[in-house]
Amino acid sequence: MNKKYVYAFSEGDGKNKQLLGGKGANLCEMTQIGLNVPAGFVISTEACLTYLADEQHRLPEGLIEEVHQQIATVEKNSGKGFGNADKPLLVSVRSGSAMSMPGMMDTILNLGLNNNTLPALIAETGNERFGYDAYRRFIQLFGKVALGVPDEKFDVHFEAVKKRSGVKADVGLTASDLKEISGLFLDVVKEHTGRPFPMDVYEQLEISIKAVFNSWMGKRAIDYRREFKITPDMANGTAVNIVEMVFGNMGDDCATGVGFTRNPGTGENLMFGEYLVNAQGEDVVAGIRTPKPVHHMGEEMPEMHSQLETLRSKLEAHYLEIQDFEYTIEKGILYCLQTRNGKMNAAAMVRTSVEMVKEGLINKEQALLRVDPELLEQLLHPRLMQNIKVQPLAQGLPASPGAASGHCVFDADRAEILGRSGEKVILVREETKPEDIHGFFASEGILTSRGGKTSHAAVVARGMGKPCVAGAEGISVDTQQRIAVVGEVTLKEGDFITIDGGTGDVYLGELPTEEPEFSDELKILLSWADDIAELKVMANADTPDAAQKAVEYGAMGIGLCRTERMFNATDRLPFMVNMILADTTEEREEALAKLRAMQRQDFKSLFKTMAPNPVTIRLLDPPIHEFLPTEKELEDDIDNLEQVRKDINGVAVLLSSLRLLRPEVKSNPENTVLPFNEEGKTLVDEAIAMKRHMLSKVRELFEVNPMLGHRGVRLSVTYPEIYEMQLQAVMEAEAECIKEGVSVHVEIMVPQVCTLQELKHVKRYVSATKERIEARNNLTLNFKFGTMIEVVRACMRAGHLAEEAEFFSFGTNDLTQATFSFSREDAENKFLPLYTEKNILHSNPFEVLDIKGVGQLMGLSVDWGRQTRPGMKIGICGEQGGHPESIRFCHHIKLNYVSCSAPRVPIARLAAAHAKLTESGYVVTERVQEVSS
Ligand code: PEP
Ligand code: MG
């Protein structure tokens, strides 16, 4: 018996998206829950894969027979006949894979029309215009998709007839115009393919099924899957949906539209969408005619509007998710053609999550799991400064929020080239098509002069979280000339514009933007996340400003303060340099005293900002030569200064001769010339001497492998006074806070530790300083002493280190470097991209924690550390600490906290809740995968 490849809508398993594709599964599910769906069936993705695997691209055995049987059932149910010259059945042939890939694969409509069935359709509907309109659409779409005839070949004829008839919009064309166009189109196909257009309806169907299967391997689809990281286990092959055609273009009691059950831009609980009376679905999506917002239907077709509202409620109640649906009204009957989870931007996702909980549709756990943590990044997108008062150049529809500036570019290929070379570009088009997708990826934002909020440009941009202004009809785009004209203004390729996808405004030039603030809904959602998560989320923050930002993002403390960053400020660096260059202990102590005072102030301010939450101060880590210029810079400086000295001497000689000739020019007693007196010369000489001194220090400090060199705790052995200074500053700051009644929770952390002896060495300074400061201030300090675990040996000796260390923090940047022997400075620019491209590594280990290697070391260290010190506090502060997948692992090995850069804190908070929920058996729904793709 042959394998089953075809499923009627009444029998297919609505949950099996892998087999039936998202669209097919939903058509089955909608049919089975009693929604009014046109009759039809699905050919499985298995059939697609079998077909593609066959070298001769033959349809799998038995498939066509199954298709014939299903067509017979549809014929029976609809009372129509496929290829029948009395009551013809027309079908659509639609692609649909397990993951939504809007517009990336092919679809054919009105299939079943030919020279025999067309008159019957006309007779049946009594509408000749409608018949020829359907026919010409079918010939063009079939010609393009199934036979590879370029659109332009059809468009020339279409435009010529329109021009001759003096009509602007397609609706102005008469039946005889469309009849003529159909004839011309049939000729185009014959000319291009060398064969007449196929009139056999089953031949049409077979060719179309193959074309849809082939589109899975088309360039657009492949590019899309690569960009959105859609792997075969997420979607493998496309299904083909064969659905009885219903017509939205049979007259004024017909319409077609697309809708969202809630507003996908804002999340507002109002039906959102657009429709066109007397039109076919492709007109709405392709942006060929500008549609009307759905609330207009309330006045224009009130009964249909109320049926749509009922449909919206039924869809949400069943799917417990915002739906993006397509519908057609044929002579007063509403058909739902498709539904899928609506793609939304982050703001809408968050708002709908919170509101659906309040409405009792879903619970908090489901609400949290709906939102992909990475998606929150979108909420950090810049928007135009609120107080900007600039007249927009043009206005369109606010199709995807966020503001972006860039150079205008009028085609996707140019956008890709410029975008890749690092230019900021805005893709400006009349309307976009799926084949423009590569241009989207490369652009900061998208601007179109035609189409609505559900046009291709809008949907794709929203999915990508890129700003988009659509349907800015005041702009006329000329792709040939590479210009866009807006009234008096002509935008040329390369001109800078700014678009605001939140308002639909388009501006000339680059406007300043500002960070958005957290919405109340996001605060609520993240507070639910905090209630559920076991991991605490800390921030890596080094300055009081960064600490303030971290608090705003909800950080529960500072998990890593890299104290060296405090020395890099321009007003501090000279003291650090003086300290390094000091020849005598007195000189060094003088410089250190200045640094201590500054650090004390910084620490105090960090402690106060974060109080009562913990602040982990890490003692100096980088090699100290990093505070000095490079050898090359110093050599160049010295060369330049010597040249200056020569020039000064030359001018001095010149002025000196001048003095001989012109005795009135005064000279100084040493016979040098006044304008270039001793002081001027001394400054240059002094500068040269200082640079030479630095140069010799730089040469002395030179290391072949600085990342494996004289850094971290090793500095405490060679320059103990630096760590002493820092310890003193931390403890003095703590003492001052205690005196001021501020509740502080200080942790002192040592970097690069690999032996217990190193920790004991630092601990001696810690104890001595503590005693001194406690005695001086007559109080008790209360801090924790701990270590970074970022050296492989430290992992192996974690049980011993825990004798001295009260906490561990995994420095997974260095630990990854050490585990792979990949330089963290170079690997990412050199070979790592190729490693991931060639699948040698599944991801960049400096971004996503390498669970199998680095993670294994971490797991062992946690076990050994806690064997020595039960309940020991352990966290991570490497970059991977802000990455959701890594956070799940950190939860799994029972770390207490993750620490990441402040803007990643909200993402980490949500990811920490996800980690707990998925561990407890909650399943991350397809919604999450879909949005994260
Ligand atoms: C680390 O190594 O992971 C770490 C946090 O320290 P740094 O990046 O400062 O070396
Ligand atoms: Mg480190």
Side-chain angles (χ1 to χ4, degrees):
M1 212 176 92
N2 285 327
K3 193 173 172 58
K4 182 172 172 64
Y5 288 116
V6 185
Y7 298 82
F9 290 164
S10 54
E11 66 175 337
D13 173 4
K15 299 282 172 266
N16 198 345
K17 296 194 169 158
Q18 284 296 343
L19 184 73
L20 303 178
K23 192 181 294 167
N26 271 333
L27 284 165
C28 292
E29 189 151 333
M30 289 194 300
T31 305
Q32 292 164 31
I33 62 169
L35 298 183
N36 194 26
V37 175
F41 55 92
V42 198
I43 304 175
S44 71
T45 54
E46 274 178 4
C48 171
L49 296 179
T50 312
Y51 164 81
L52 291 173
D54 181 71
E55 275 174 12
Q56 291 167 40
H57 274 23
R58 285 166 304 195
L59 289 174
E61 232 180 292
L63 175 73
I64 280 297
E65 290 72 21
E66 281 188 83
V67 166
H68 278 251
Q69 279 165 18
Q70 291 291 346
I71 288 277
T73 313
V74 174
E75 286 178 326
K76 206 163 127 213
N77 293 342
S78 62
K80 297 177 186 168
F82 193 45
N84 181 316
D86 291 332
K87 250 177 155 268
L89 166 70
L90 304 188
V91 295
S92 62
V93 180
R94 294 166 184 268
S95 56
S97 77
M99 299 289 294
S100 153
M101 296 167 54
M104 294 302 116
M105 290 179 296
D106 291 328
T107 281
I108 294 171
L109 305 172
N110 300 332
L111 190 140
L113 274 178
N114 60 21
N115 288 343
N116 288 332
T117 55
L118 175 64
L121 182 72
I122 293 173
E124 188 197 347
T125 56
N127 188 338
E128 191 183 15
R129 188 191 180 283
F130 160 74
Y132 280 109
D133 193 36
Y135 200 28
R136 65 96 188 171
R137 286 170 192 268
F138 170 54
I139 301 165
Q140 176 162 4
L141 201 55
F142 186 90
K144 175 186 162 190
V145 168
L147 305 173
V149 187
D151 255 344
E152 301 80 72
K153 301 228 171 198
F154 298 106
D155 291 345
V156 212
H157 293 289
F158 192 72
E159 292 306 320
V161 174
K162 254 166 86 174
K163 194 166 172 203
R164 193 204 56 212
S165 305
V167 297
K168 280 206 162 133
D170 305 359
V171 277
L173 291 167
T174 62
S176 81
D177 290 334
L178 292 164
K179 182 174 180 181
E180 182 187 348
I181 289 170
S182 304
L184 290 166
F185 280 10
L186 287 174
D187 293 343
V188 165
V189 170
K190 191 166 176 197
E191 221 169 83
H192 187 84
T193 62
R195 285 191 53 198
F197 188 87
M199 290 291 164
D200 180 295
V201 291
Y202 279 102
E203 187 188 349
Q204 291 175 357
L205 187 56
E206 196 170 324
I207 296 175
S208 304
I209 293 170
K210 287 183 175 177
V212 173
F213 282 163
N214 288 333
S215 68
W216 175 253
M217 292 311 288
K219 183 174 171 349
R220 302 200 302 268
I222 293 176
D223 283 352
Y224 190 92
R225 292 201 292 277
R226 190 184 329 104
E227 183 67 24
F228 286 94
K229 298 195 171 53
I230 299 179
T231 54
D233 58 321
M234 293 156 86
N236 205 4
T238 179
V240 181
N241 301 287
I242 296 176
V243 194
E244 177 195 355
M245 285 294 300
V246 286
F247 293 97
N249 56 343
M250 273 188 173
D252 286 346
D253 55 353
C254 300
T256 189
V258 290
F260 283 81
T261 52
R262 299 185 192 211
N263 185 320
T266 63
E268 192 183 8
N269 187 3
L270 271 183
M271 183 158 54
F272 173 90
E274 289 155 333
Y275 72 103
L276 276 171
V277 171
N278 195 12
Q280 221 168 6
E282 57 175 346
D283 298 341
V284 182
V285 179
I288 291 166
R289 279 164 57 193
T290 302
K292 298 177 192 166
V294 70
H295 63 84
H296 270 237
M297 198 191 276
E299 291 148 33
E300 204 171 14
M301 300 169 124
E303 167 52 26
M304 297 323 300
H305 187 257
S306 101
Q307 282 192 28
L308 258 190
E309 282 289 354
T310 312
L311 174 63
R312 146 173 126 103
S313 313
K314 280 190 183 165
L315 286 171
E316 276 201 3
H318 178 75
Y319 288 99
L320 303 180
E321 187 49 88
I322 309 326
Q323 294 296 296
D324 166 0
F325 62 105
E326 289 182 15
Y327 58 91
T328 282
I329 298 167
E330 184 187 280
K331 300 213 164 292
I333 300 174
L334 171 67
Y335 292 90
C336 186
L337 303 183
Q338 177 182 328
T339 189
R340 60 181 173 214
N341 290 343
K343 286 195 187 243
M344 279 170 279
N345 62 26
M349 280 301 290
V350 169
R351 175 168 173 180
T352 51
S353 274
V354 172
E355 290 188 353
M356 285 202 295
V357 171
K358 291 190 175 152
E359 291 157 24
L361 272 177
I362 56 174
N363 60 28
K364 288 181 185 172
E365 288 79 3
Q366 288 168 315
L368 287 165
L369 287 172
R370 274 180 89 229
V371 185
D372 177 3
E374 290 286 5
L375 189 68
L376 297 187
E377 189 112 71
Q378 272 184 27
L379 293 179
L380 311 170
H381 278 184
R383 57 181 181 197
L384 288 183
M385 295 280 265
Q386 294 294 301
N387 52 5
I388 290 253
K389 299 258 176 308
V390 181
Q391 257 323 93
L393 176 68
Q395 239 217 342
L397 301 169
S400 177
S405 304
H407 303 284
C408 299
V409 174
F410 298 98
D411 73 90
D413 292 342
R414 287 276 300 152
E416 188 177 39
I417 294 167
L418 292 173
R420 285 231 173 111
S421 71
E423 294 283 345
K424 281 168 58 175
V425 299
I426 304 279
L427 179 62
V428 183
R429 305 280 289 159
E430 198 163 43
E431 66 198 86
T432 65
K433 294 202 169 160
E435 43 266 46
D436 291 330
I437 189 80
H438 56 296
F440 278 61
F441 294 135
S443 304
E444 303 294 310
I446 292 94
L447 167 63
T448 69
S449 59
R450 293 222 303 233
K453 282 197 235 174
T454 41
S455 65
H456 174 262
V459 172
V460 176
R462 266 202 304 276
M464 289 183 179
K466 297 210 176 198
C468 174
V469 172
E473 292 182 347
I475 303 181
S476 83
V477 180
D478 184 336
T479 348
Q480 293 300 317
Q481 305 278 329
R482 296 182 181 283
I483 55 167
V485 181
V486 197
E488 310 270 81
V489 180
T490 300
L491 291 171
K492 293 184 293 307
E493 185 166 277
D495 286 351
F496 235 98
I497 57 167
T498 300
I499 60 170
D500 184 342
T503 60
D505 290 331
V506 181
Y507 301 90
L508 206 52
E510 185 174 18
L511 298 188
T513 52
E514 65 186 356
E515 294 294 314
E517 278 164 25
F518 272 13
S519 67
D520 286 346
E521 286 92 0
L522 180 57
K523 285 187 190 143
I524 294 172
L525 191 79
L526 289 176
S527 75
W528 295 344
D530 295 343
D531 290 344
I532 283 171
E534 280 173 4
L535 281 169
K536 297 251 175 288
V537 179
M538 309 284 175
N540 293 352
D542 319 308
T543 59
D545 281 353
Q548 190 49 48
K549 219 121 219 72
V551 172
E552 284 158 25
Y553 285 124
M556 301 157 202
I558 291 181
L560 173 64
C561 166
R562 293 175 163 103
T563 51
E564 56 271 16
R565 301 225 171 134
M566 295 169 163
F567 298 133
N568 277 330
T570 37
D571 57 333
R572 290 154 187 223
L573 195 56
F575 296 105
M576 191 64 186
V577 172
N578 284 347
M579 192 279 292
I580 297 169
L581 296 180
D583 288 323
T584 62
T585 315
E586 294 80 61
E587 275 174 21
R588 172 158 301 142
E589 277 175 357
E590 194 186 313
L592 280 170
K594 296 216 171 81
L595 290 170
R596 188 179 71 230
M598 291 167 181
Q599 284 225 305
R600 185 179 55 225
Q601 269 320 106
D602 287 344
F603 292 148
K604 195 172 159 190
S605 144
L606 284 186
F607 297 159
K608 283 182 154 179
T609 309
M610 297 313 292
N613 287 318
V615 177
T616 310
I617 302 290
R618 185 182 69 184
L619 301 173
L620 190 66
D621 182 36
I624 53 175
H625 72 72
E626 281 192 8
F627 297 99
L628 299 178
T630 63
E631 186 174 9
K632 168 90 177 65
E633 281 164 354
L634 286 166
E635 284 169 351
D636 288 352
D637 283 356
I638 293 170
D639 282 352
N640 289 339
L641 283 165
E642 277 173 347
Q643 188 56 47
V644 171
R645 185 161 60 184
K646 274 190 202 142
D647 294 347
I648 290 173
N649 285 340
V651 175
V653 170
L654 175 73
L655 287 177
S656 165
S657 348
L658 192 64
R659 186 177 56 79
L660 290 175
L661 294 172
R662 309 257 312 262
E664 73 275 14
V665 178
K666 281 206 316 198
S667 66
N668 71 11
E670 273 90 28
N671 207 18
T672 55
V673 182
L674 262 181
F676 299 96
N677 61 13
E678 275 308 300
E679 205 181 317
K681 283 181 98 179
T682 310
L683 276 177
V684 177
D685 287 342
E686 237 179 63
I688 292 175
M690 203 258 282
K691 296 274 175 181
R692 288 215 169 109
H693 186 40
M694 270 197 201
L695 182 60
S696 75
K697 201 73 189 173
V698 165
R699 286 181 178 149
E700 187 187 303
L701 294 172
F702 171 79
E703 292 174 290
V704 177
N705 268 327
M707 291 308 279
L708 302 179
H710 191 176
R711 60 179 291 210
V713 67
R714 299 153 216 165
L715 288 169
S716 78
V717 180
T718 49
Y719 297 95
E721 57 278 18
I722 301 180
Y723 270 30
E724 273 187 294
M725 174 277 283
Q726 291 201 298
L727 289 169
Q728 205 173 323
V730 177
M731 294 185 210
E732 284 171 357
E734 184 186 348
E736 285 183 21
C737 286
I738 293 175
K739 283 197 224 158
E740 289 172 26
V742 180
S743 160
V744 283
H745 183 156
V746 180
E747 301 186 342
I748 296 174
M749 181 159 77
V750 190
Q752 301 295 329
V753 169
C754 52
T755 86
L756 178 62
Q757 303 315 319
E758 284 171 331
L759 269 188
K760 284 188 191 277
H761 168 80
V762 180
K763 186 74 176 283
R764 275 197 286 278
Y765 292 105
V766 170
S767 307
T769 312
K770 180 170 185 272
E771 252 172 54
R772 232 182 22 253
I773 292 180
E774 284 183 340
R776 196 182 300 151
N777 292 283
N778 194 22
L779 44 73
T780 307
L781 295 173
N782 182 18
F783 53 82
K784 279 196 165 81
F785 176 70
T787 180
M788 301 271 300
I789 302 282
E790 53 184 343
V791 170
V792 177
R793 194 176 191 282
C795 298
M796 296 296 110
R797 302 294 289 164
H800 293 267
L801 297 182
E803 288 169 22
E804 286 295 344
E806 293 168 273
F807 66 91
F808 286 165
S809 178
F810 287 104
T812 42
N813 303 330
D814 278 311
L815 193 54
T816 301
Q817 167 172 267
T819 308
F820 281 85
S821 279
F822 284 175
S823 159
R824 58 187 274 196
E825 304 296 317
D826 298 316
E828 286 173 288
N829 304 332
K830 298 280 191 308
F831 53 86
L832 264 184
L834 269 184
Y835 262 57
T836 44
E837 200 180 303
K838 292 186 187 296
N839 250 333
I840 297 172
L841 278 178
H842 130 282
S843 45
N844 170 356
F846 290 105
E847 236 171 68
V848 184
L849 190 72
D850 159 50
I851 289 171
K852 292 183 186 152
V854 179
Q856 180 90 342
L857 287 169
M858 291 168 69
L860 289 173
S861 316
V862 170
D863 290 348
W864 292 334
R866 288 195 180 138
Q867 269 167 29
T868 305
R869 191 182 284 273
M872 180 181 199
K873 178 175 176 180
I874 305 181
I876 176 176
C877 61
E879 283 310 301
Q880 299 88 339
H883 186 273
E885 209 179 296
S886 319
I887 291 172
R888 187 153 4 112
F889 176 73
C890 294
H891 169 87
H892 173 69
I893 59 167
K894 301 209 173 341
L895 297 195
N896 301 89
Y897 69 92
V898 296
S899 188
C900 53
S901 60
R904 299 287 301 177
V905 165
I907 296 166
R909 288 166 70 194
L910 186 54
H914 276 211
K916 171 69 184 165
L917 288 170
T918 45
E919 179 199 60
S920 319
Y922 280 89
V923 180
V924 179
T925 58
E926 173 219 348
R927 130 85 42 237
V928 172
Q929 291 174 11
E930 219 175 79
V931 179
S932 67
S933 55

